[in-house]
Amino acid sequence: MARHSKAAVVPKPNDPLVIKDIEIPELVPGSILLKVANAGVCGTDVHLWHGKLTGVPYPLILGHEVVGTVEDLGSGQTKDLDAGQIEIGDRVTFHDVTKTCYSCWNCLVAKAPTKCTNREVYGITRDSSKFPFLIGGYSEYMYLTPGTHMMSIPENVSFNGAISAGCALPTAVHAATRSPLTWGANVAVQGAGPVGLMIAMIAKVNGARTVTSIDQAPNRLELAEEFGATHTLNIREGTVEDRKKFLRDISNGHGPDIVYEATGAARAIPEGIELVREGGTYTICGQYTDSGTVEVRPHLMNRKHLDIRTVWGTETVHVYRAIKTIAENYDRFPFEKLVTHRFPLRDAQKALEAQEKLISIKAVIAPNG
Ligand SMILES: [Zn+2]
Ligand SMILES: [Zn+2]
């Protein structure tokens, strides 16, 4: 069994990543040593590198979207969410949120467990200077503590294919379940990054009549068509009015029943409010980091009788449904194509830069080659 693990560590915000050799602690009962195959590079990782999120302990090992192979197990029974026994050599993934307390006010009274005040997340809020040290996926090995919500990766799904179960698809599942997505709906999706692509895919699977992806990158819009978009619009060609007219024309003059926002850009919000039909729903899930302020017309929101919802974080159920959705639709959509760049651990820094410049659709770090 491996005794040490190389990991890429962020010493403090904005410092270059450093490769460190970390001793692997003894496995306690119910724990899992995971040999990392892929760690997805998430937009959040770039923000964490720049110190833009509060409550994060540095030095930090990044990586909360992780797939890999079980290298070793602590004593006792370790099961996945379907109650299947986990064995050495199994291909697995897990929900990055390792603790939701279900006893704080947000959990119990507000019924908003993704806003749990005691949440602990691998690669984000867990402290790499304390046991079990190997808390992020930018590492050859991860030490998964007892109680981590494990999911087996179905046989027909490759490690690259499973990586969208990290953040993108669970966020999309959460957004879809917070919106009135029904058979025959006309849907528009602002943004064709991993989250927007996964929302388009879910809308298609759920029987949407039209799915229009809106972005500025031609390669992303091409991929959107492969993930179920019936139409695409490039914001660099034409105005908001043009897009509004197009969306009305394909929906018998009404406009989209639901507009999803997955852009990360504040300026998308006033446009979304313009595009959605009267009495429609606007679901916002792409503003995880503060992209600034923007002018909106409250009268328009009121006059259109809009239902506006936002989505924060994911629950285990969303990750569980994500991995099942991938497996059941693997022949229908090109999940593996989301991974456009692959970096060795020593180039973790370059991977963050590729993500920051949006060169990649999805970059992964493959710490074990
Ligand atoms: Zn993420
Ligand atoms: Zn709580």
Side-chain angles (χ1 to χ4, degrees):
M1 194 195 103
R3 307 299 300 272
H4 289 80
S5 173
K6 284 193 173 59
V9 180
V10 183
K12 61 180 192 326
N14 294 313
D15 272 12
L17 274 62
V18 179
I19 304 294
K20 288 208 166 152
D21 203 38
I22 296 167
E23 197 179 327
I24 299 170
E26 280 294 307
L27 290 180
V28 299
S31 61
I32 292 172
L33 186 67
L34 183 76
K35 186 174 185 181
V36 177
N38 283 345
V41 179
C42 180
T44 302
D45 294 342
V46 178
H47 300 306
L48 287 164
W49 176 37
H50 291 314
K52 283 188 184 164
L53 273 81
T54 51
V56 176
Y58 294 87
L60 175 67
I61 302 174
L62 294 168
H64 56 273
E65 305 182 353
V66 189
V67 293
T69 309
V70 176
E71 176 81 1
D72 203 1
L73 291 164
S75 59
Q77 296 279 307
T78 309
K79 297 198 165 168
D80 69 10
L81 283 171
D82 287 316
Q85 183 64 42
I86 292 177
E87 312 275 5
I88 290 171
D90 282 359
R91 296 156 69 248
V92 293
T93 187
F94 57 91
H95 188 204
D96 58 353
V97 178
T98 180
K99 187 179 150 197
T100 307
C101 77
Y102 295 107
S103 54
C104 71
W105 192 91
N106 280 357
C107 280
L108 283 181
V109 182
K111 294 199 180 297
T114 63
K115 296 301 300 176
C116 172
T117 48
N118 299 306
R119 230 158 84 110
E120 281 182 13
V121 190
Y122 284 109
I124 299 179
T125 69
R126 297 199 74 177
D127 191 337
S128 70
S129 66
K130 291 183 186 143
F131 175 84
F133 310 106
L134 296 163
I135 51 76
Y138 290 20
S139 177
E140 290 172 320
Y141 294 92
M142 257 184 103
Y143 189 118
L144 303 176
T145 43
T148 301
H149 296 150
M150 303 299 302
M151 277 151 276
S152 303
I153 298 175
E155 255 174 46
N156 64 325
V157 178
S158 71
F159 281 133
N160 276 0
I163 205 75
S164 56
C167 273
L169 186 48
T171 302
V173 171
H174 195 184
T177 51
R178 289 264 289 168
S179 68
L181 183 60
T182 49
W183 187 263
N186 291 298
V187 169
V189 188
Q190 296 175 290
V195 175
L197 291 169
M198 291 301 99
I199 292 173
M201 184 273 293
I202 287 177
K204 187 70 178 175
V205 169
N206 276 274
R209 180 177 161 261
T210 64
V211 180
T212 305
S213 283
I214 306 169
D215 201 282
Q216 58 182 340
N219 62 328
R220 291 182 176 224
L221 289 173
E222 272 170 37
L223 198 51
E225 286 175 358
E226 294 188 58
F227 277 103
T230 54
H231 305 80
T232 60
L233 289 170
N234 191 322
I235 56 167
R236 291 198 170 158
E237 300 157 7
T239 63
V240 179
E241 281 308 312
D242 295 333
R243 291 189 279 284
K244 203 165 147 183
K245 182 178 181 312
F246 179 87
L247 290 168
R248 283 186 173 176
D249 287 348
I250 61 168
S251 59
N252 306 100
H254 304 293
D257 303 295
I258 311 169
V259 176
Y260 294 96
E261 184 280 327
T263 66
R267 66 179 185 280
I269 304 298
E271 172 157 345
I273 292 164
E274 285 282 348
L275 299 181
V276 66
R277 73 158 164 82
E278 300 211 318
T281 302
Y282 190 31
T283 304
I284 298 167
C285 66
Q287 303 291 325
Y288 262 61
T289 43
D290 191 345
S291 63
T293 55
V294 70
E295 276 186 25
V296 293
R297 277 172 68 202
H299 170 63
L300 188 60
M301 292 150 63
N302 197 154
R303 195 182 76 205
K304 288 178 97 170
H305 190 62
L306 295 187
D307 193 354
I308 297 180
R309 299 199 175 184
T310 74
V311 176
W312 184 260
T314 59
E315 294 176 58
T316 301
V317 58
H318 304 126
V319 185
Y320 179 85
R321 289 193 179 150
I323 198 80
K324 305 291 184 203
T325 303
I326 294 169
E328 284 151 19
N329 293 279
Y330 209 61
D331 298 332
R332 191 173 171 196
F333 302 107
F335 292 98
E336 295 178 4
K337 271 194 178 179
L338 283 177
V339 178
T340 53
H341 291 71
R342 192 176 172 85
F343 295 89
L345 188 64
R346 64 176 179 280
D347 290 336
Q349 173 86 31
K350 284 184 193 158
L352 287 172
E353 287 162 7
Q355 172 65 36
E356 187 165 33
K357 291 174 191 145
L358 296 178
I359 296 165
S360 47
I361 290 176
K362 187 83 202 166
V364 297
I365 291 167
N368 288 290

